[in-house]
């Protein structure tokens, strides 16, 4: 059964029940009497904490982050009591004196030194909000809240310590939010054909036989258990005793876990793209497909005693191979089913047995020393012992009733101990809605805060340079260019800072649209900055803008014309000084630059607008660094041909206004893309160079793009970013192609004899790079072997063929940008994606998607599905670090729309959340100070 959640599902029939009825409907699982007794005895042994101690702890926590109060408090205690070395008494005394002196110095310096924030003057409204945030933070740091209570208050101290050690979780709130990663349905067995050697797996299987024998080569015994993934007719329907019920286990919270605990980590399932055949090559040998498997337990008397033929058992371990067959050695196990005799059992016990017989089994992401079943047992104990009704629910009762969302207590029980598949899916829906609602509250507050900022309106003028540009252009704007230009002009005329995303396929004319907007700002005697990721792109933009403006540029004949300057790190000192002076004085109307624009010594006289081009190349903080006078928010236009995952997510979430250029300028040709699979067709490599020769003979030019510069370089892109596929699942056995090796190969290929071949990469001197690009633009170079330094901005209309080597090692965004360097004139372009990966490789799906479309938004959705959202509530750029646990921007769009509607309505009526303290505290918990500042930039 798949663990994927269903899209926006209507659960009205389930949620119409009152909370008490739902809780009664959810099976309550009694506890193991012995574990409860141990936990109660551990509580009795714990010393009572006096009231003064509680106050001291509260003061410590109030000064710390609300997320990890205990850790920081412990750190302070360690600071107060530094560990002395075991040296001489004299050295101890000196060390003690030094520590005390340092401590006194720190204490003295800490008192009079106010923070930067304290020095800033806040308006009464801002001070009120700051006070409420502080109160919420202090309230959430209080240990007497259920969310912050230590797990040791509800679990045996050894179990709580193990969870803290292996999962990094120490409070009830953190533990409840440790969600199962999937659910295994009872009555269905795991297919062995899905297993891969070396994989850590959890599987359900039926035991066929158990045998124990002495080992011949050494002392000890070995227990061999043969299991199968096939059900017989008697297994198709659970009996009255049913799955999950063992003799004497009816009144236990979870099946007793026995066996060797040397188990292995419980991670995700089989590799994507794995298709069962008669067998496969794994680990250097041929592994036969099998419906039975033999598991080995060394000196494991408990396994021989507790596992019997006919039992259904959950095994967790690392998949190995022995004599051509897959196996598990010393796996962790939990007996789930066996023959059951419930004669004389109470009706309640029989009913509970029936419920457990069909209940899905939650599987957690578990480390080796804390298997998933032990996490589930601890979770059930917490659910039964904690008063979940005391949990703070961020959803107002009115929203819950309107949207049919159950209580938080019911949701956590249904998530961790579901009785049916429908139950845990309902819990997922409720949690996704809560995530969406809190996120939308944060974004609604961000939009309201940005709208509250006063910025200078830059309206269009009657006879300004923006109007003159339209008359000057030798071609007519496309319908999309004109429409988007009008949208931006309207935004610039408002005193509310513009925050607009301009999406257009490569070559759709985004630069002209941005130039028109920058001229409108110049008509209002203000400045615009265009931020480009590389010097090559910055120079291309500078040359393009100057070429388009022509006579509108400042000159002796036109002293009041538009002054465009270029700022980059490689500028000579004298030129850079003049550029900086022109920026500070306001003489420069348009400043085009690289990261050099973000330097601290860069000042603008009146920055009215910022244009960020190909923004996926910048970090979140970098894109926000440019501000107006006194930190004022300028209008902002973000341009991209392929939105990065975070941008797509924020667009779906409604934080950005979006404009789309969906038409190519007249004369532009579309690009055809093909995948060249060298693993299946090795002879096609020679055909690549024949194809390149054909383009050269036709008078055209060719790009050959490779992932790295030299043979000794690691898997690092030209911009310093790590390439995709560096893990064992995606790495090719063949080395990556480099600029040097590619140049050597092409110069020795007979088909390319007599062609002019040059190289280009990021480590070349600026002058050398400029010289190569100038000669390639002039047609003096036939084939250019390059890294991704040409990814954006390069415009050579005569280039018609691009060959990308090791294309599986690039992301979708980068490949789409590279492909955009060809077909920029009236000639059609061809892009060949060369890969040595097998047909079932992870990245082949990505390449096939790229070959199927040139639509930037469609590709960004695919990218989002594969890489997940960037951190919506923080500055992370990619999806591995995300604050969203269950919510997904693409599949949950309808749910997000509902949550946005509710959140905006609430923020409109209560901007400071003064009347909704629960939401304010939850928001404070979800958003630390850095995340809130990040959202404020948006």
């Amino acid at each position: 059964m798949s663990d994927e959640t269903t899209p926006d599902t209507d659960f009205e029939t389930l949620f119409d029940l009152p909370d008490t009825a739902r809780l009664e409907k959810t099976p309550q699982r009694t506890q193991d009497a012995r574990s409860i007794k141990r936990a109660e005895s551990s509580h009795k042994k714990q010393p009572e904490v006096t009231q003064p101690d509680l106050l001291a702890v509260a003061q410590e926590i109030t000064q710390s982050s609300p997320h990890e109060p205990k850790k920081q408090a412990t750190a302070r205690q360690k600071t107060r009591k530094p560990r002395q070395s075991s040296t001489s008494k004299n050295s101890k005394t000196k060390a003690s004196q030094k520590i005390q002196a340092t401590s006194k110095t720190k204490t003295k310096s800490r008192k009079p030194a106010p923070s930067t924030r304290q020095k800033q003057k806040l308006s009464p409204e801002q001070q009120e909000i700051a006070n409420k945030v502080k109160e919420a933070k202090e309230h959430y740091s209080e240990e007497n809240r259920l969310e912050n209570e230590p797990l040791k208050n509800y679990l045996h101290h050894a179990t709580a310590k193990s969870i803290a050690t292996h999962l990094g979780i120490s409070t009830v709130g953190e533990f409840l939010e440790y969600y199962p990663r999937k659910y295994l349905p009872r009555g269905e067995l795991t297919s062995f054909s899905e297993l891969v050697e070396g994989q850590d797996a959890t599987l359900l299987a039926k035991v066929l036989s158990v045998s124990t024998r002495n080992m011949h080569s050494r002392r000890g015994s070995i227990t061999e258990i043969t299991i199968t993934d096939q059900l017989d007719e008697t297994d198709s329907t659970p009996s009255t005793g049913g799955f999950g019920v063992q003799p004497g286990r009816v009144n236990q919270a979870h099946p007793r876990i026995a066996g060797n605990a040397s188990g292995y980590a419980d991670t995700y399932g089989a590799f994507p793209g794995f298709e069962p055949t008669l067998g496969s090559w794994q680990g250097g040998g041929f592994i036969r497909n099998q419906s039975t498997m033999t598991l080995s337990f060394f000196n494991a008397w408990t396994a021989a005693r507790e596992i019997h033929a006919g039992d259904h058992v959950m095994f967790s371990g690392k998949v190995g191979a022995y004599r051509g067959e897959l196996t598990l050695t010393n796996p962790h196990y939990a007996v789930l089913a066996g023959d059951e005799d419930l004669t004389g059992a109470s009706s309640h016990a029989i009913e509970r047995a029936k419920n457990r017989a069909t209940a899905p089994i939650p599987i957690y992401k578990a480390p080796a020393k804390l298997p998933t079943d032990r996490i589930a047992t601890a979770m059930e104990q917490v659910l039964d012992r904690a008063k979940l009704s005391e949990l703070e629910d961020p959803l107002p009762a009115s929203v819950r009733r309107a949207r049919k969302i159950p209580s938080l207590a019911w949701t956590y029980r249904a998530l961790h101990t579901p009785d049916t598949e429908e139950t845990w899916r309902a819990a997922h829906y409720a949690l996704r809605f809560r995530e969406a609602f809190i996120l939308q509250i944060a974004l609604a507050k961000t939009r309201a805060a940005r709208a509250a900022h006063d910025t200078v309106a830059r309206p269009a003028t009657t006879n300004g340079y923006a109007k003159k540009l339209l008359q000057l252009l030798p071609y007519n704007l496309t319908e999309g260019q004109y429409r988007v230009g009008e949208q931006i002009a309207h935004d610039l005329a408002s005193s509310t800072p513009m925050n607009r995303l301009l999406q257009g396929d490569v070559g759709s004319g985004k630069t002209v649209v941005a130039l028109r907007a920058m001229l409108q700002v110049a008509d209002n005697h203000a400045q615009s900055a265009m931020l480009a990721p590389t010097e090559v792109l910055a120079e291309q933009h500078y040359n393009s803008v100057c070429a388009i403006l022509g006579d509108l540029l400042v000159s002796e004949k036109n002293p009041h014309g538009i002054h465009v300057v270029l700022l980059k790190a490689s500028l000579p000192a004298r030129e850079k000084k003049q550029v900086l002076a022109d920026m500070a004085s306001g003489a420069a109307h348009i400043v085009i630059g690289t990261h050099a624009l973000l330097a601290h010594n860069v000042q603008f006289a009146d920055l009215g607008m910022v244009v960020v081009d190909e923004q996926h190349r910048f970090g979140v903080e970098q894109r926000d660094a440019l501000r107006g006078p006194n930190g004022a928010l300028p209008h902002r236009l973000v341009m991209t041909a392929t939105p990065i995952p975070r941008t797509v997510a924020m667009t779906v979430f409604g934080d950005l206004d979006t404009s789309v250029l969906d038409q190519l300028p007249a004369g532009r040709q579309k690009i055809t893309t093909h995948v060249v699979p060298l693993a299946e067709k090795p002879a096609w490599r020679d055909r690549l160079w024949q194809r390149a020769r054909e383009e050269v003979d036709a008078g055209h030019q060719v790009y050959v793009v490779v992932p790295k510069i030299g043979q000794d370089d690691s898997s690092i892109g030209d911009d310093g970013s790590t390439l995709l596929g560096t893990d064992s699942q995606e790495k090719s056995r063949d080395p990556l192609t480099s600029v040097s090796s590619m140049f050597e190969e092409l110069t020795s290929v007979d088909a390319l004899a007599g062609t002019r071949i040059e190289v280009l990469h990021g480590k070349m001197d600026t002058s050398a790079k400029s010289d190569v690009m100038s000669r390639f633009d002039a047609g003096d170079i036939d084939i250019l072997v390059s890294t991704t330094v040409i990814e954006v901005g390069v415009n050579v209309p005569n280039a018609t063929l691009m060959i990308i080597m090791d294309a599986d090692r690039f992301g979708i965004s980068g490949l789409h940008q590279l492909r955009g360097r060809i077909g920029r004139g009236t000639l059609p372009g061809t892009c060949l994606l060369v890969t040595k990966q097998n047909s079932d490789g992870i990245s082949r799906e990505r390449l096939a998607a790229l070959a199927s479309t040139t639509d930037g938004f469609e590709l960004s959705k695919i990218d989002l599905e594969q890489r997940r959202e960037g951190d919506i509530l923080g500055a992370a750029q990619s999806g591995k670090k995300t604050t969203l646990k269950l919510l997904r921007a693409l599949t949950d769009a309808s749910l997000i729309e509902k949550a946005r509607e509710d959140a905006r309505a609430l923020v409109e009526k209560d901007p400071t959340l003064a009347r909704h303290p629960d939401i304010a505290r939850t928001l404070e918990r979800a958003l630390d100070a850095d995340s809130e500042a990040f959202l404020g930039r948006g």
Side-chain angles (χ1 to χ4, degrees):
M1 181 69 64
S2 172
D3 60 324
E4 296 180 359
T5 59
T6 55
D8 193 9
T9 307
D10 186 9
F11 298 106
E12 292 189 14
T13 56
L14 183 61
F15 296 161
D16 282 339
L17 293 173
D19 289 344
T20 54
R22 295 193 204 102
L23 293 176
E24 291 175 359
K25 187 175 180 180
T26 303
Q28 297 288 327
R29 303 181 182 179
T30 59
Q31 303 302 306
D32 186 343
R34 284 176 294 178
S35 63
I36 294 177
K37 188 174 181 180
R38 286 196 301 268
E40 290 175 347
S41 63
S42 67
H43 287 307
K44 293 179 182 178
K45 294 177 183 179
Q46 293 175 2
E48 293 184 0
V49 182
T50 62
Q51 187 63 24
D53 290 334
L54 285 174
L55 293 175
V57 172
Q59 291 174 358
E60 292 286 346
I61 296 172
T62 301
Q63 298 171 4
S64 66
S65 169
H67 300 288
E68 296 179 324
K70 289 294 290 181
K71 292 181 181 179
Q72 296 199 20
T74 303
R76 291 190 185 89
Q77 292 169 4
K78 289 182 180 179
T79 305
R80 292 195 201 100
K81 299 179 181 179
R83 184 181 298 173
Q84 296 180 352
S85 61
S86 58
T87 55
S88 66
K89 183 177 182 180
N90 186 35
S91 62
K92 287 183 180 179
T93 304
K94 290 182 179 180
S96 176
Q97 292 174 350
K98 186 175 181 180
I99 291 172
Q100 292 177 2
T102 304
S103 176
K104 291 180 180 178
T105 304
K106 289 182 178 180
T107 304
K108 291 180 180 179
S109 61
R110 195 181 297 128
K111 289 181 179 179
S115 64
T116 306
R117 291 186 177 182
Q118 291 175 334
K119 293 181 180 180
Q120 297 176 351
K121 293 183 179 180
L122 301 177
S123 66
E125 294 81 5
Q126 292 174 327
Q127 187 62 51
E128 180 184 359
I129 295 175
N131 291 337
K132 290 184 181 297
V133 169
K134 183 179 179 181
E135 291 174 4
K137 185 174 182 178
E138 291 175 352
H139 180 74
Y140 232 105
S141 298
E142 295 176 4
E143 283 225 18
N144 60 0
R145 295 192 51 75
L146 177 59
E147 290 88 342
N148 297 324
E149 282 197 49
L151 276 177
K152 64 183 181 181
N153 292 354
Y154 298 92
L155 298 174
H156 189 274
H157 66 88
T159 303
K161 183 178 179 180
S162 179
I163 291 173
T165 301
H166 300 297
L167 301 183
I169 293 174
S170 58
T171 66
V172 172
E174 293 173 339
F175 195 44
L176 291 175
E177 292 179 357
Y178 194 73
Y179 302 156
R181 63 174 180 83
K182 68 176 182 179
Y183 299 85
L184 295 180
R186 296 179 191 262
E188 295 183 17
L189 304 184
T190 305
S191 175
F192 296 165
S193 64
E194 299 175 359
L195 302 178
V196 178
E197 182 183 358
Q199 165 197 6
D200 293 321
T202 296
L203 55 93
L204 291 181
K206 180 180 179 180
V207 177
L208 295 179
S209 64
V210 180
S211 62
T212 301
R213 59 178 174 82
N214 293 326
M215 291 184 286
H216 302 293
S217 57
R218 56 192 175 104
R219 296 178 61 184
S221 64
I222 180 173
T223 298
E224 294 179 331
I225 299 177
T226 303
I227 61 176
T228 181
D229 61 357
Q230 303 294 315
L231 289 171
D232 54 35
E233 294 181 1
T234 60
D235 295 319
S236 59
T237 304
S239 63
T240 304
F243 293 123
V245 183
Q246 284 274 80
R249 299 182 188 178
V250 175
N251 294 321
Q252 294 183 14
H254 195 275
R256 180 186 172 195
I257 305 303
N260 191 327
S262 63
Y264 296 84
D266 177 32
T267 56
Y268 290 89
F271 299 153
F274 182 83
E275 296 181 1
T277 58
L278 294 177
S280 60
W281 286 94
Q282 299 182 27
F286 185 79
I287 303 299
R288 294 187 298 272
N289 283 348
Q290 55 198 83
S291 61
T292 61
M293 183 186 301
T294 300
L295 313 183
S296 301
F297 293 82
F298 294 95
N299 299 319
W301 299 106
T302 54
R305 184 174 63 250
E306 299 194 7
I307 300 178
H308 307 90
D311 285 349
H312 285 71
V313 185
M314 180 171 67
F315 296 97
S316 299
K318 194 165 190 175
V319 180
Y322 181 69
R323 293 182 177 178
E325 293 188 354
L326 296 178
T327 184
L328 300 177
T329 302
N330 278 9
H332 185 87
Y333 65 86
V335 180
L336 301 178
D339 295 332
E340 177 68 21
D341 183 10
L342 293 176
T343 304
S346 66
S347 59
H348 178 68
I350 295 175
E351 182 64 25
R352 287 177 57 81
K354 290 181 179 180
N355 288 336
R356 293 184 61 82
T358 57
I361 303 172
I363 303 297
Y364 297 86
K365 189 174 183 181
K369 296 184 178 180
L370 187 63
T372 177
D373 46 84
R374 293 184 181 176
I375 297 175
T377 300
M379 187 68 70
E380 291 181 9
Q381 293 174 1
V382 171
L383 291 174
D384 283 344
R385 296 172 184 174
K387 295 181 180 179
L388 300 186
S389 59
E390 297 179 1
L391 290 170
E392 195 160 66
D393 196 336
L395 276 185
S398 58
V399 176
R400 284 179 49 203
R401 285 193 299 267
R403 300 298 184 187
K404 303 293 184 181
I405 304 297
S407 69
L408 202 56
W410 185 95
T411 299
Y412 279 135
R413 293 187 188 280
L415 180 78
H416 295 291
T417 58
D419 53 356
T420 63
E421 179 183 347
E422 183 187 29
T423 304
W424 68 256
R425 290 193 180 276
H428 272 207
Y429 181 88
L431 290 171
R432 296 198 325 267
F433 190 91
R434 282 180 171 84
E435 285 186 11
F437 182 78
I438 290 301
L439 178 60
Q440 288 303 319
I441 289 287
L443 295 178
K445 289 184 64 180
T446 301
R447 291 178 67 90
R450 188 175 182 88
H453 275 279
D454 287 332
T455 192
V456 180
R458 318 287 182 177
T461 58
T462 306
N463 295 313
Y465 283 107
K467 295 288 185 182
K468 293 179 181 178
L469 174 67
L470 300 180
Q471 302 169 2
L472 181 70
L473 290 175
Y475 52 84
N476 294 325
L477 296 179
T478 65
E479 181 182 345
Q481 287 175 314
Y482 186 81
R483 181 187 69 253
V484 172
E486 291 298 309
Q487 292 174 347
I488 296 174
H490 181 268
D491 289 347
L492 293 176
S494 171
S495 59
T496 299
M498 175 180 68
N499 190 30
R500 184 169 291 276
L501 168 69
L502 175 56
Q503 149 70 13
D505 275 333
V506 177
S508 59
K510 298 183 295 294
T511 303
V512 173
V513 173
L515 177 58
R516 180 185 172 188
M518 290 189 289
L519 291 179
Q520 180 172 325
V521 174
D523 290 334
N524 287 270
H525 310 290
Q527 299 165 287
S528 297
M530 176 177 279
L531 186 60
T534 65
E535 290 195 359
V536 172
L537 178 56
E539 291 175 359
Q540 288 280 341
H541 277 315
Y542 177 77
N543 295 331
S544 298
V545 167
C546 291
I548 293 173
L549 290 177
D551 295 338
L552 297 182
L553 289 171
V554 64
S555 62
E556 294 182 359
K557 296 181 179 180
N558 185 17
H560 301 293
I562 299 298
H563 185 28
V564 183
V565 297
L566 174 64
L567 180 64
K568 56 182 182 177
S570 62
L571 276 181
R574 180 176 297 179
E575 292 184 30
K576 183 180 293 184
K577 184 178 180 180
Q578 183 60 50
V579 170
L580 292 174
D582 290 345
M583 293 168 58
S585 66
H589 300 106
I590 298 175
V591 182
I592 300 173
T594 59
H595 295 76
L597 280 172
L598 308 176
H600 294 293
N601 62 336
V602 174
Q603 293 183 350
F604 289 86
D606 184 9
L607 182 61
M609 178 180 176
V610 174
V611 179
V612 184
D613 192 21
E614 306 303 350
Q615 52 109 24
H616 68 286
R617 301 292 293 274
F618 295 95
V620 173
E621 289 87 352
Q622 291 177 319
R623 299 199 295 267
D624 177 67
L626 294 175
R627 294 267 181 153
N630 301 321
L633 288 176
H635 296 285
R636 185 170 68 177
L637 178 66
V638 174
M639 300 196 306
T640 181
T642 302
I644 57 173
R646 187 188 164 277
T647 305
V648 179
M650 294 291 277
T651 302
V652 173
F653 295 145
D655 193 53
L656 291 174
D657 297 318
T658 305
S659 296
V660 180
L661 293 177
D662 51 7
Q663 297 172 303
L664 292 176
R668 286 295 302 269
Q669 300 293 321
K670 286 196 173 184
I671 304 168
T672 57
T673 306
H674 305 281
V675 178
V676 181
L678 295 184
E680 298 103 284
K681 307 284 186 181
W684 284 14
R685 190 179 184 94
D686 293 335
R687 174 59 186 146
L688 286 174
W689 314 131
Q690 295 172 3
R691 184 71 180 82
R693 183 63 193 232
E694 292 169 4
E695 291 295 322
V696 173
D697 290 344
H700 305 152
Q701 293 164 279
V702 179
Y703 291 106
V704 178
V705 181
V706 296
K708 65 178 186 176
I709 299 173
Q711 294 282 27
D712 297 332
D713 294 334
S714 59
S715 299
I716 297 178
D718 196 53
D719 58 354
S721 60
T722 304
L723 297 171
L724 298 179
T726 54
D727 59 321
S728 60
Q729 295 183 21
E730 202 165 327
K731 185 179 294 184
S732 173
R733 294 181 179 179
D734 297 321
L736 293 177
T737 308
S738 65
V739 171
S740 55
S741 64
M742 193 78 263
F743 180 78
E744 268 184 47
E745 178 179 350
L746 296 186
T747 52
S748 62
V749 172
D750 294 338
L752 300 178
T755 58
R756 298 165 295 181
I757 306 174
E758 290 288 350
V759 300
L760 179 70
H761 55 79
K763 291 186 178 180
M764 296 171 60
D765 293 337
T766 303
S767 58
K769 287 190 291 186
S770 299
D771 176 66
V772 171
M773 283 308 306
S774 298
R775 289 192 289 129
F776 189 67
D777 192 15
D780 297 333
I781 298 174
D782 298 318
I783 300 175
L784 182 63
V785 180
S786 173
T787 58
T788 55
V789 70
I790 64 161
E791 180 179 338
V792 289
V794 175
N795 183 20
V796 180
N798 194 47
T800 56
L801 176 64
M802 174 172 286
I803 301 173
I804 304 177
M805 308 301 296
D806 298 314
D808 52 278
R809 305 302 288 273
F810 297 92
I812 287 180
S813 178
L815 290 172
H816 186 58
Q817 293 290 341
L818 286 169
R819 178 173 60 179
R821 299 312 102 204
I822 57 177
R824 302 186 68 85
T826 58
L827 301 171
T830 301
C831 180
L832 303 179
L833 306 175
V834 183
T835 177
K836 291 171 278 190
Q837 203 173 65
N838 293 325
S839 59
D840 59 352
I842 298 174
S843 296
R844 288 291 291 271
E845 182 180 351
R846 183 166 65 244
L847 299 183
L850 191 80
S852 66
T853 181
T854 58
D855 182 80
F857 261 115
E858 184 63 30
L859 290 174
S860 69
K861 290 180 181 179
I862 297 172
D863 199 15
L864 180 62
E865 290 171 347
Q866 294 183 352
R867 294 170 54 194
R868 292 181 58 182
E869 301 84 345
D871 194 348
I872 303 302
L873 303 184
Q877 185 75 15
S878 65
K880 288 190 175 181
K881 180 184 177 183
T882 176
T883 53
L884 303 182
K885 294 185 177 182
L886 298 175
L887 189 68
R888 294 295 172 263
L890 296 180
T891 58
D892 294 329
S894 176
L895 180 148
I896 292 168
E897 195 68 40
K898 296 176 182 177
R900 178 179 3 176
E901 179 184 339
D902 296 334
R904 289 186 176 179
L906 187 146
V907 171
E908 184 178 352
K909 296 178 181 178
D910 185 16
T912 63
L913 301 180
R915 297 195 298 272
H916 297 83
D918 288 359
I919 299 177
R921 287 190 288 268
T922 303
L923 193 62
E924 174 63 25
R925 187 186 181 194
L927 292 175
D928 56 19
D930 293 337
S931 297
E932 284 197 290
F934 158 75
L935 285 175
R937 299 180 185 124

